[in-house]
Amino acid sequence: MTITTELVLSLPVNVRDLGGIAARGGLVRSGVAIRADDLSVVTPEYARQLVDDGLVAIIDLRSQEEVGFTGRGVFAGHSVAYHHLPLMASLGAAMSEERAFAHPSEYGRDYAAMFERAAPALVTALSIIALAPGTVAFHCSAGKDRTGVLAAALLLSLGVADAEIVADYGDTAPNIDAIHERIRPVMSVLMARLGIDLDAAAQAAASDQKFDEYAMVQMLELLRERHGDPLTPLREVGLTESLIAVLRAKALAA
């Protein structure tokens, strides 16, 4: 069976500049890093505005299946560097075999496992943010899970306290319904291709637990329990003190 659909372009509903967050030694500067839900299906007008405001690079954290379906979108027509750094190798495997992200009450464990497993991609992403000559946006589909893990890695590297990292993650809560509505056109097609009932999966998740910022609390706690320093998994694969220094010099304002 061939499944086709026309891509629906829309404005992101879970996007925010990380500027203004308190860190050790200053505040995160605006215009350094933007976290977002799916940027591959934004409108041409929104893409142009981001570029005009200083966007120079996009880090796409989605799986190969997701990228293969929507690609770069309208950003393919702009001089914006594109980096595909999937934090989840296969959406299908995660949804059907690994059962990652099947139950919201276990998201913190999933986040910690992703932080450890995808450490090389996270370090590469931090290097891009540190060295890019302008604003870097990073996104997945919802701008919540994979995007939240990279946001946490960035903020930890900048010396941001756990409470602030959790608060940033929690800012997604008011956007959940809009996120689900926005990603449905793409995800319904992808799930159908993978033989997964999107509505059934959504109902199972809703019956388990609604969005809870405790997931990020749990991730940070687990990383500290396992490693002492939560950045240890990243340090082991290339996060050096010199890279952190470059990142802090770019991202922090005294």
Side-chain angles (χ1 to χ4, degrees):
M1 178 177 66
T2 301
I3 301 172
T4 61
T5 189
E6 179 135 350
L7 290 180
V8 178
L9 302 183
S10 59
L11 298 178
V13 295
N14 192 32
V15 58
R16 52 190 176 273
D17 191 312
L18 294 180
I21 295 177
R24 186 177 65 254
L27 298 176
V28 179
R29 286 191 176 98
S30 297
V32 171
I34 295 172
R35 56 175 294 170
D37 47 317
D38 196 348
L39 292 180
S40 72
V41 290
V42 299
T43 62
E45 295 78 13
Y46 187 84
R48 168 52 64 186
Q49 186 61 58
L50 282 182
V51 173
D52 289 346
D53 288 344
L55 182 71
V56 299
I58 291 174
I59 299 172
D60 189 339
L61 305 172
R62 297 176 301 156
S63 67
Q64 189 60 55
E65 294 105 324
E66 293 164 279
V67 172
F69 183 44
T70 63
R72 295 178 60 185
V74 295
F75 284 103
H78 292 279
S79 297
V80 174
Y82 174 79
H83 306 273
H84 182 211
L85 300 174
L87 296 193
M88 184 183 294
S90 169
L91 181 66
M95 292 295 293
S96 59
E97 297 172 16
E98 299 174 8
R99 301 309 298 160
F101 300 100
H103 302 290
S105 60
E106 300 176 0
Y107 277 10
R109 297 182 183 279
D110 294 325
Y111 292 166
M114 177 180 290
F115 194 99
E116 295 166 334
R117 183 180 62 250
L122 293 173
V123 174
T124 299
L126 295 179
S127 300
I128 292 166
I129 295 170
L131 300 174
T135 304
V136 178
F138 55 94
H139 75 94
C140 53
S141 180
K144 176 173 74 75
D145 304 313
R146 291 165 287 186
T147 298
V149 169
L150 175 52
L154 172 60
L155 296 176
L156 283 168
S157 299
L158 295 177
V160 173
D162 287 7
E164 294 286 343
I165 297 172
V166 173
D168 170 64
Y169 175 77
D171 284 342
T172 288
N175 307 326
I176 288 297
D177 290 342
I179 290 169
H180 290 163
E181 186 66 25
R182 182 172 188 253
I183 68 176
R184 177 171 290 277
V186 169
M187 294 306 293
S188 61
V189 174
L190 287 175
M191 292 299 99
R193 289 179 175 178
L194 296 170
I196 297 171
D197 186 330
L198 180 62
D199 289 329
Q203 289 175 3
S207 65
D208 183 9
Q209 178 179 313
K210 293 187 179 297
F211 179 89
D212 189 343
E213 65 182 24
Y214 175 70
M216 186 55 63
V217 174
Q218 185 182 39
M219 184 197 86
L220 294 169
E221 288 179 345
L222 287 172
L223 291 175
R224 293 188 188 282
E225 288 174 8
R226 296 171 184 172
H227 308 284
D229 177 359
L231 288 174
T232 294
L234 307 191
R235 296 184 190 278
E236 291 176 345
V237 295
L239 180 63
T240 63
E241 290 302 322
S242 60
L243 176 55
I244 291 175
V246 172
L247 189 60
R248 286 177 57 83
K250 177 186 180 182
L252 295 185

